Amino acid sequence: MARKAAAAEGVSAKFLLMDAEEMKFEQTFDVVWSVESISHYPQKEKFFAAAAQCLEPGGTLAITDWFKKERLAEREYEKIHPAD
């Protein structure tokens, strides 16, 4: 899906499938971006260590995720998940 979407937008990109806790590259990057997945990493400290090794000095680690707080009131839940 990622390759198809990139091609449709005319973007030259390379996509890799790997264990985020075991990332290893010969080069470094200016950004490591984790999208809605960190809550699934069994050993989060391994991810952060691997991400640090992948980043250039002064690079950016971007993490986006969402978590539902405990005892969330129904009206609060509806704000983020409106009925279809």
Side-chain angles (χ1 to χ4, degrees), residues 14-32:
K14 182 177 182 180
F15 299 94
L16 304 170
L17 177 62
M18 69 177 61
D19 184 335
E21 296 173 349
E22 301 293 336
M23 291 185 293
K24 290 184 177 59
F25 295 95
E26 292 184 18
Q27 66 198 64
T28 56
F29 303 93
D30 55 350
V31 176
V32 172

Side-chain angles (χ1 to χ4, degrees), residues 5-68:
E9 294 297 321
V11 174
S12 175
K14 182 177 182 180
F15 299 94
L16 304 170
L17 177 62
M18 69 177 61
D19 184 335
E21 296 173 349
E22 301 293 336
M23 291 185 293
K24 290 184 177 59
F25 295 95
E26 292 184 18
Q27 66 198 64
T28 56
F29 303 93
D30 55 350
V31 176
V32 172
W33 185 5
S34 172
V35 179
E36 295 186 12
S37 58
I38 198 164
S39 60
H40 302 286
Y41 303 157
Q43 298 177 3
K44 291 171 186 57
E45 64 279 355
K46 287 182 73 176
F47 163 73
F48 286 106
Q53 292 296 312
C54 293
L55 281 172
E56 295 177 357
T60 300
L61 174 59
I63 299 173
T64 60
D65 218 320
W66 71 276
F67 299 91
K68 186 177 101 174

Side-chain angles (χ1 to χ4, degrees), residues 68-79:
K68 186 177 101 174
K69 73 178 185 178
E70 292 181 23
R71 297 179 297 282
L72 186 66
E74 185 64 31
R75 64 177 167 57
E76 292 175 305
Y77 182 82
E78 286 298 320
K79 285 181 186 178

